[in-house]
PDB file of all heavy atoms in Angstrom:
ATOM      1  N   ALA O 146      49.456  64.536  47.423  1.00 97.00           N
ATOM      2  CA  ALA O 146      49.676  63.150  47.836  1.00 97.00           C
ATOM      3  C   ALA O 146      49.833  62.244  46.619  1.00 97.00           C
ATOM      4  O   ALA O 146      50.742  61.402  46.562  1.00 97.00           O
ATOM      5  CB  ALA O 146      48.511  62.679  48.702  1.00 97.00           C
ATOM      6  N   ALA O 147      48.937  62.407  45.639  1.00 97.00           N
ATOM      7  CA  ALA O 147      49.008  61.582  44.432  1.00 97.00           C
ATOM      8  C   ALA O 147      50.310  61.836  43.677  1.00 97.00           C
ATOM      9  O   ALA O 147      50.993  60.895  43.252  1.00 97.00           O
ATOM     10  CB  ALA O 147      47.812  61.872  43.527  1.00 97.00           C
ATOM     11  N   THR O 148      50.668  63.105  43.527  1.00 97.00           N
ATOM     12  CA  THR O 148      51.880  63.446  42.775  1.00 97.00           C
ATOM     13  C   THR O 148      53.123  62.983  43.510  1.00 97.00           C
ATOM     14  O   THR O 148      54.110  62.572  42.887  1.00 97.00           O
ATOM     15  CB  THR O 148      51.949  64.953  42.508  1.00 97.00           C
ATOM     16  OG1 THR O 148      50.697  65.415  42.002  1.00 97.00           O
ATOM     17  CG2 THR O 148      53.032  65.279  41.483  1.00 97.00           C
ATOM     18  N   ALA O 149      53.102  63.048  44.846  1.00 97.00           N
ATOM     19  CA  ALA O 149      54.244  62.569  45.627  1.00 97.00           C
ATOM     20  C   ALA O 149      54.441  61.072  45.416  1.00 97.00           C
ATOM     21  O   ALA O 149      55.573  60.578  45.344  1.00 97.00           O
ATOM     22  CB  ALA O 149      54.040  62.875  47.103  1.00 97.00           C
ATOM     23  N   PHE O 150      53.322  60.342  45.309  1.00 97.00           N
ATOM     24  CA  PHE O 150      53.426  58.909  45.017  1.00 97.00           C
ATOM     25  C   PHE O 150      54.075  58.687  43.654  1.00 97.00           C
ATOM     26  O   PHE O 150      55.026  57.915  43.524  1.00 97.00           O
ATOM     27  CB  PHE O 150      52.043  58.257  45.038  1.00 97.00           C
ATOM     28  CG  PHE O 150      52.035  56.857  44.492  1.00 97.00           C
ATOM     29  CD1 PHE O 150      52.503  55.808  45.260  1.00 97.00           C
ATOM     30  CD2 PHE O 150      51.602  56.595  43.192  1.00 97.00           C
ATOM     31  CE1 PHE O 150      52.528  54.505  44.749  1.00 97.00           C
ATOM     32  CE2 PHE O 150      51.621  55.314  42.682  1.00 97.00           C
ATOM     33  CZ  PHE O 150      52.090  54.266  43.458  1.00 97.00           C
ATOM     34  N   TYR O 151      53.582  59.392  42.630  1.00 96.00           N
ATOM     35  CA  TYR O 151      54.139  59.231  41.286  1.00 96.00           C
ATOM     36  C   TYR O 151      55.614  59.629  41.247  1.00 96.00           C
ATOM     37  O   TYR O 151      56.440  58.929  40.650  1.00 96.00           O
ATOM     38  CB  TYR O 151      53.365  60.089  40.277  1.00 96.00           C
ATOM     39  CG  TYR O 151      51.906  59.741  40.124  1.00 96.00           C
ATOM     40  CD1 TYR O 151      50.945  60.742  39.983  1.00 96.00           C
ATOM     41  CD2 TYR O 151      51.469  58.425  40.134  1.00 96.00           C
ATOM     42  CE1 TYR O 151      49.593  60.438  39.842  1.00 96.00           C
ATOM     43  CE2 TYR O 151      50.122  58.107  40.001  1.00 96.00           C
ATOM     44  CZ  TYR O 151      49.185  59.122  39.855  1.00 96.00           C
ATOM     45  OH  TYR O 151      47.857  58.825  39.720  1.00 96.00           O
ATOM     46  N   ALA O 152      55.931  60.759  41.881  1.00 95.00           N
ATOM     47  CA  ALA O 152      57.307  61.269  41.833  1.00 95.00           C
ATOM     48  C   ALA O 152      58.265  60.350  42.578  1.00 95.00           C
ATOM     49  O   ALA O 152      59.396  60.116  42.134  1.00 95.00           O
ATOM     50  CB  ALA O 152      57.364  62.679  42.426  1.00 95.00           C
ATOM     51  N   SER O 153      57.822  59.805  43.716  1.00 95.00           N
ATOM     52  CA  SER O 153      58.718  58.981  44.527  1.00 95.00           C
ATOM     53  C   SER O 153      58.940  57.598  43.926  1.00 95.00           C
ATOM     54  O   SER O 153      59.950  56.956  44.197  1.00 95.00           O
ATOM     55  CB  SER O 153      58.174  58.842  45.951  1.00 95.00           C
ATOM     56  OG  SER O 153      56.950  58.111  45.971  1.00 95.00           O
ATOM     57  N   THR O 154      57.993  57.122  43.116  1.00 94.00           N
ATOM     58  CA  THR O 154      58.143  55.790  42.525  1.00 94.00           C
ATOM     59  C   THR O 154      58.761  55.830  41.132  1.00 94.00           C
ATOM     60  O   THR O 154      59.435  54.882  40.729  1.00 94.00           O
ATOM     61  CB  THR O 154      56.784  55.075  42.432  1.00 94.00           C
ATOM     62  OG1 THR O 154      55.854  55.894  41.709  1.00 94.00           O
ATOM     63  CG2 THR O 154      56.230  54.796  43.820  1.00 94.00           C
ATOM     64  N   GLY O 155      58.526  56.914  40.384  1.00 91.00           N
ATOM     65  CA  GLY O 155      59.033  56.981  39.020  1.00 91.00           C
ATOM     66  C   GLY O 155      60.149  57.967  38.803  1.00 91.00           C
ATOM     67  O   GLY O 155      60.903  57.870  37.837  1.00 91.00           O
ATOM     68  N   SER O 156      60.285  58.956  39.719  1.00 90.00           N
ATOM     69  CA  SER O 156      61.305  60.006  39.621  1.00 90.00           C
ATOM     70  C   SER O 156      61.285  60.722  38.276  1.00 90.00           C
ATOM     71  O   SER O 156      62.322  61.171  37.782  1.00 90.00           O
ATOM     72  CB  SER O 156      62.714  59.425  39.855  1.00 90.00           C
ATOM     73  OG  SER O 156      62.838  58.945  41.173  1.00 90.00           O
ATOM     74  N   MET O 157      60.095  60.817  37.671  1.00 91.00           N
ATOM     75  CA  MET O 157      60.014  61.453  36.359  1.00 91.00           C
ATOM     76  C   MET O 157      59.964  62.976  36.506  1.00 91.00           C
ATOM     77  O   MET O 157      59.238  63.515  37.361  1.00 91.00           O
ATOM     78  CB  MET O 157      58.811  60.939  35.579  1.00 91.00           C
ATOM     79  CG  MET O 157      58.979  59.500  35.140  1.00 91.00           C
ATOM     80  SD  MET O 157      57.826  58.972  33.835  1.00 91.00           S
ATOM     81  CE  MET O 157      56.325  58.820  34.782  1.00 91.00           C
ATOM     82  N   PRO O 158      60.731  63.697  35.695  1.00 90.00           N
ATOM     83  CA  PRO O 158      60.784  65.163  35.774  1.00 90.00           C
ATOM     84  C   PRO O 158      59.414  65.820  35.703  1.00 90.00           C
ATOM     85  O   PRO O 158      59.163  66.818  36.382  1.00 90.00           O
ATOM     86  CB  PRO O 158      61.645  65.541  34.564  1.00 90.00           C
ATOM     87  CG  PRO O 158      62.540  64.366  34.370  1.00 90.00           C
ATOM     88  CD  PRO O 158      61.687  63.167  34.697  1.00 90.00           C
ATOM     89  N   TYR O 159      58.510  65.273  34.883  1.00 90.00           N
ATOM     90  CA  TYR O 159      57.172  65.848  34.745  1.00 90.00           C
ATOM     91  C   TYR O 159      56.460  65.892  36.092  1.00 90.00           C
ATOM     92  O   TYR O 159      55.919  66.922  36.499  1.00 90.00           O
ATOM     93  CB  TYR O 159      56.370  65.037  33.741  1.00 90.00           C
ATOM     94  CG  TYR O 159      54.914  65.441  33.629  1.00 90.00           C
ATOM     95  CD1 TYR O 159      54.544  66.566  32.899  1.00 90.00           C
ATOM     96  CD2 TYR O 159      53.917  64.701  34.262  1.00 90.00           C
ATOM     97  CE1 TYR O 159      53.204  66.947  32.796  1.00 90.00           C
ATOM     98  CE2 TYR O 159      52.584  65.068  34.165  1.00 90.00           C
ATOM     99  CZ  TYR O 159      52.238  66.191  33.433  1.00 90.00           C
ATOM    100  OH  TYR O 159      50.914  66.572  33.348  1.00 90.00           O
ATOM    101  N   ASP O 160      56.459  64.772  36.816  1.00 93.00           N
ATOM    102  CA  ASP O 160      55.776  64.699  38.106  1.00 93.00           C
ATOM    103  C   ASP O 160      56.455  65.586  39.147  1.00 93.00           C
ATOM    104  O   ASP O 160      55.783  66.219  39.975  1.00 93.00           O
ATOM    105  CB  ASP O 160      55.745  63.256  38.609  1.00 93.00           C
ATOM    106  CG  ASP O 160      54.904  62.351  37.728  1.00 93.00           C
ATOM    107  OD1 ASP O 160      53.838  62.797  37.278  1.00 93.00           O
ATOM    108  OD2 ASP O 160      55.321  61.208  37.483  1.00 93.00           O
ATOM    109  N   ILE O 161      57.778  65.625  39.118  1.00 92.00           N
ATOM    110  CA  ILE O 161      58.506  66.422  40.096  1.00 92.00           C
ATOM    111  C   ILE O 161      58.245  67.912  39.881  1.00 92.00           C
ATOM    112  O   ILE O 161      58.146  68.685  40.836  1.00 92.00           O
ATOM    113  CB  ILE O 161      60.010  66.092  40.037  1.00 92.00           C
ATOM    114  CG1 ILE O 161      60.222  64.650  40.547  1.00 92.00           C
ATOM    115  CG2 ILE O 161      60.821  67.080  40.861  1.00 92.00           C
ATOM    116  CD1 ILE O 161      61.621  64.126  40.387  1.00 92.00           C
ATOM    117  N   GLY O 162      58.087  68.327  38.625  1.00 91.00           N
ATOM    118  CA  GLY O 162      57.758  69.728  38.344  1.00 91.00           C
ATOM    119  C   GLY O 162      56.424  70.114  38.946  1.00 91.00           C
ATOM    120  O   GLY O 162      56.269  71.172  39.569  1.00 91.00           O
TER     121      GLY O 162
END
Side-chain angles (χ1 to χ4, degrees):
T148 312
F150 169 77
Y151 298 140
S153 66
T154 55
S156 295
M157 290 196 285
Y159 173 79
D160 294 320
I161 292 173

